[in-house]
Amino acid sequence: VTQTEGEVIILAGPGSGKTLTLVRRAAYIILNGTPGDRVLLMTFTNNAAKENLSRIETFLRKAEYTGPLPYVGTFHHTCLELLREYAGYTKTVVDEGGSMRALRSAMNTTEFQNMNANFGQSGNTFMYNGVQYNHSNASRYDLICKLKDNLISPFDFATTIGDKNFSAVYSAYEEELFKTNSIDFGGIILDFADELNNNQEFFDTVTGMYDYVMIDEAHDSNLANLWAFRQICSKKDNIA
């Protein structure tokens, strides 16, 4: 709790109080002089975010703190809000059902009528990261999600993995989303990363917003999540 500077890893078993430690740590940092709105706590669900904020607020109010509260939110919601606030982002987020409709629409074009017979590097299946994928849209969508979790774009996939058939599927899916100014959940983090890499004003604003970043259940985070929030705290490097 009191080790506030630099990188901190909390290692403990299930139910041993890791989340409570982060909650107490956030309150400790704020009560020792850091404005609440300079502290960011990330979690995986909206319910967990609400509960953690409530717990932090309880600690702070008991100490008669009346200043701003920290920002507590999910990875995707936080990135989306930052994009909308500081990058003029207007895309609409679609759920899994909307994503599957976009993929089916992309696959209904003439270009992909024979894709089921030609999918992958070897017949109807191919391997990626030790997992076999087939020509079904469910399998395609599953792989697209995994690629986005690892910050791999259609171009990256084509140039690093080499499966041009699937890269075409991935690109067509992204184009279908683009037509309706839509984005899926994994795409939010990709767009956030792209904005950080290519918009200096956005990068300077976002990386200067928080002095402390904490991630609850960090062991469940994917590469895209961790990369994004390491960027956010890159100026101070205070992450737990």
Side-chain angles (χ1 to χ4, degrees):
V1 171
T2 59
Q3 177 59 46
T4 61
E5 305 308 300
E7 296 185 7
V8 175
I9 298 176
I10 301 171
L11 295 175
S16 55
K18 296 186 295 297
T19 298
L20 180 59
T21 300
L22 285 182
V23 166
R24 288 181 176 274
R25 187 173 187 270
Y28 177 85
I29 288 169
I30 294 167
L31 293 174
N32 278 272
T34 299
D37 54 7
R38 302 288 299 177
V39 176
L40 173 66
L41 176 59
M42 303 309 307
T43 189
F44 282 88
T45 68
N46 290 321
N47 286 339
K50 290 177 184 178
E51 181 181 349
N52 287 342
L53 179 59
S54 176
R55 293 165 81 182
I56 293 171
E57 187 174 10
T58 298
F59 281 118
L60 294 176
R61 297 302 178 236
K62 284 181 179 178
E64 299 184 348
Y65 173 83
T66 58
L69 295 173
Y71 184 93
V72 184
T74 66
F75 286 96
H76 295 93
H77 184 265
T78 302
C79 288
L80 185 61
E81 289 299 302
L82 290 171
L83 285 167
R84 286 174 171 168
E85 181 72 21
Y86 301 107
Y89 198 72
T90 61
K91 291 183 181 179
T92 300
V93 181
V94 296
D95 59 13
E96 183 174 341
S99 296
M100 288 300 295
R101 285 191 293 273
L103 183 55
R104 284 193 296 269
S105 179
M107 292 300 96
N108 282 335
T109 60
T110 303
E111 179 184 357
F112 295 106
Q113 284 181 350
N114 297 319
M115 182 60 73
N116 286 352
N118 298 312
F119 182 76
Q121 294 173 331
S122 56
N124 291 331
T125 64
F126 78 103
M127 300 291 291
Y128 174 70
N129 256 13
V131 178
Q132 183 169 283
Y133 294 90
N134 60 41
H135 55 73
S136 70
N137 283 336
S139 184
R140 289 166 176 161
Y141 177 68
D142 183 47
L143 179 51
I144 287 171
C145 291
K146 286 181 171 60
L147 293 174
K148 290 189 175 186
D149 286 347
N150 286 284
L151 294 174
I152 298 174
S153 69
F155 175 79
D156 294 332
F157 186 84
T159 55
T160 60
I161 310 303
D163 189 275
K164 300 228 175 355
N165 283 329
F166 185 79
S167 178
V169 172
Y170 190 0
S171 295
Y173 167 71
E174 291 295 290
E175 289 169 9
E176 199 65 30
L177 291 176
F178 180 78
K179 289 177 186 176
T180 57
N181 196 37
S182 300
I183 194 72
D184 59 16
F185 284 103
I188 295 170
I189 307 295
L190 273 179
D191 282 359
F192 185 76
D194 184 65
E195 205 68 40
L196 285 174
N197 286 329
N198 297 294
N199 183 336
Q200 188 63 46
E201 183 177 354
F202 181 77
F203 178 87
D204 290 341
T205 298
V206 168
T207 57
M209 290 181 68
Y210 299 105
D211 294 330
Y212 297 92
V213 175
M214 286 169 274
I215 302 174
D216 191 20
E217 306 291 351
H219 55 279
D220 290 328
S221 301
N222 57 49
L223 175 66
N225 294 154
L226 292 176
W227 182 89
F229 286 90
R230 277 198 169 278
Q231 296 304 303
I232 286 177
C233 69
S234 59
K235 289 186 178 177
K236 297 277 188 176
D237 207 27
N238 294 325
I239 187 169

mmCIF file of all heavy atoms in Angstrom, residues 13 28 56 88 119 141 168 186 208 215:
data_model
loop_
_atom_site.group_PDB
_atom_site.id
_atom_site.type_symbol
_atom_site.label_atom_id
_atom_site.label_comp_id
_atom_site.label_asym_id
_atom_site.label_seq_id
_atom_site.Cartn_x
_atom_site.Cartn_y
_atom_site.Cartn_z
ATOM 1 N N GLY A 13 -2.676 -15.218 -3.752
ATOM 2 C CA GLY A 13 -3.652 -16.193 -4.225
ATOM 3 C C GLY A 13 -5.052 -15.629 -4.311
ATOM 4 O O GLY A 13 -5.326 -14.508 -3.861
ATOM 5 N N TYR A 28 -4.673 5.746 -0.070
ATOM 6 C CA TYR A 28 -3.437 6.199 0.589
ATOM 7 C C TYR A 28 -2.735 7.258 -0.256
ATOM 8 O O TYR A 28 -2.278 8.294 0.262
ATOM 9 C CB TYR A 28 -2.523 5.000 0.815
ATOM 10 C CG TYR A 28 -1.183 5.347 1.411
ATOM 11 C CD1 TYR A 28 -1.026 5.474 2.797
ATOM 12 C CD2 TYR A 28 -0.063 5.550 0.598
ATOM 13 C CE1 TYR A 28 0.210 5.796 3.347
ATOM 14 C CE2 TYR A 28 1.171 5.871 1.145
ATOM 15 C CZ TYR A 28 1.306 5.991 2.520
ATOM 16 O OH TYR A 28 2.530 6.323 3.070
ATOM 17 N N ILE A 56 -13.291 2.969 -2.509
ATOM 18 C CA ILE A 56 -12.297 4.043 -2.366
ATOM 19 C C ILE A 56 -12.951 5.271 -1.748
ATOM 20 O O ILE A 56 -12.385 5.904 -0.838
ATOM 21 C CB ILE A 56 -11.689 4.401 -3.743
ATOM 22 C CG1 ILE A 56 -10.861 3.239 -4.277
ATOM 23 C CG2 ILE A 56 -10.828 5.656 -3.632
ATOM 24 C CD1 ILE A 56 -10.405 3.422 -5.710
ATOM 25 N N GLY A 88 -11.712 13.507 -30.898
ATOM 26 C CA GLY A 88 -12.880 13.689 -31.754
ATOM 27 C C GLY A 88 -13.447 12.395 -32.291
ATOM 28 O O GLY A 88 -14.024 12.347 -33.383
ATOM 29 N N PHE A 119 -9.752 -21.528 -47.560
ATOM 30 C CA PHE A 119 -9.339 -20.832 -46.343
ATOM 31 C C PHE A 119 -8.021 -21.370 -45.801
ATOM 32 O O PHE A 119 -7.818 -22.556 -45.676
ATOM 33 C CB PHE A 119 -10.430 -20.986 -45.284
ATOM 34 C CG PHE A 119 -10.117 -20.273 -44.007
ATOM 35 C CD1 PHE A 119 -10.234 -18.901 -43.919
ATOM 36 C CD2 PHE A 119 -9.693 -20.992 -42.897
ATOM 37 C CE1 PHE A 119 -9.959 -18.243 -42.739
ATOM 38 C CE2 PHE A 119 -9.416 -20.336 -41.715
ATOM 39 C CZ PHE A 119 -9.549 -18.959 -41.634
ATOM 40 N N TYR A 141 -14.125 -15.014 -36.555
ATOM 41 C CA TYR A 141 -14.319 -13.933 -35.583
ATOM 42 C C TYR A 141 -13.468 -14.164 -34.337
ATOM 43 O O TYR A 141 -12.876 -13.227 -33.791
ATOM 44 C CB TYR A 141 -15.799 -13.822 -35.215
ATOM 45 C CG TYR A 141 -16.069 -12.775 -34.164
ATOM 46 C CD1 TYR A 141 -15.893 -11.420 -34.463
ATOM 47 C CD2 TYR A 141 -16.471 -13.123 -32.877
ATOM 48 C CE1 TYR A 141 -16.117 -10.444 -33.503
ATOM 49 C CE2 TYR A 141 -16.696 -12.159 -31.920
ATOM 50 C CZ TYR A 141 -16.513 -10.825 -32.233
ATOM 51 O OH TYR A 141 -16.737 -9.867 -31.276
ATOM 52 N N ALA A 168 -7.220 -11.228 -45.970
ATOM 53 C CA ALA A 168 -8.280 -10.630 -46.793
ATOM 54 C C ALA A 168 -9.604 -10.633 -46.046
ATOM 55 O O ALA A 168 -10.379 -9.673 -46.114
ATOM 56 C CB ALA A 168 -8.409 -11.389 -48.109
ATOM 57 N N GLY A 186 -12.425 -4.994 -29.446
ATOM 58 C CA GLY A 186 -10.979 -5.076 -29.650
ATOM 59 C C GLY A 186 -10.449 -3.918 -30.463
ATOM 60 O O GLY A 186 -9.322 -3.455 -30.255
ATOM 61 N N GLY A 208 -0.102 12.669 -19.881
ATOM 62 C CA GLY A 208 0.098 13.645 -18.816
ATOM 63 C C GLY A 208 -1.070 13.747 -17.844
ATOM 64 O O GLY A 208 -1.054 14.567 -16.924
ATOM 65 N N ILE A 215 -3.978 -1.558 -12.040
ATOM 66 C CA ILE A 215 -4.784 -2.500 -12.823
ATOM 67 C C ILE A 215 -5.184 -3.660 -11.939
ATOM 68 O O ILE A 215 -4.331 -4.410 -11.449
ATOM 69 C CB ILE A 215 -4.003 -3.009 -14.049
ATOM 70 C CG1 ILE A 215 -3.572 -1.839 -14.927
ATOM 71 C CG2 ILE A 215 -4.859 -3.995 -14.841
ATOM 72 C CD1 ILE A 215 -2.676 -2.236 -16.085
#
